[in-house]
Amino acid sequence: DLASAHHTSLDSLFNGTDFNGASLASLGAATSTLRDNGIDEVELNVGNNDAAHTVHLSDDNAHALLDAGLSFVEGNHVTVDAHSTHLNNSLKDLEKLHVDAV
């Protein structure tokens, strides 16, 4: 349960091609099926509704979540940590993910 865990970094939940024990490919297939049936958005709730509890995510892992068709609940505070001047995601893509800061 991401909301009750109050992680400060979501990167620890990634393990190769898995996120929190679930295959990213399977999550992508599931979100695609949902989209085909009229559910436009699947959101992750990390349970931090104030800026004092911002969670961090690497640019690569943000890209993996976007590819799987996932985003964060808009009220969550999520920061993507960029470790170079080149991002794998456009700012528009990060906006879709509901990222608050880079």
Side-chain angles (χ1 to χ4, degrees), residues 18-73:
D18 292 349
F19 174 71
N20 202 26
S23 160
L24 285 166
S26 295
L27 288 171
T31 57
S32 179
T33 299
L34 290 170
R35 205 172 14 263
D36 291 346
N37 288 287
I39 297 174
D40 296 331
E41 191 169 19
V42 177
E43 296 181 326
L44 301 169
N45 183 358
V46 292
N48 59 339
N49 296 324
D50 62 63
H53 296 99
T54 297
V55 295
H56 294 263
L57 182 67
S58 75
D59 183 42
D60 289 338
N61 290 334
H63 188 74
L65 291 178
L66 281 166
D67 279 351
L70 300 168
S71 64
F72 293 100
V73 171

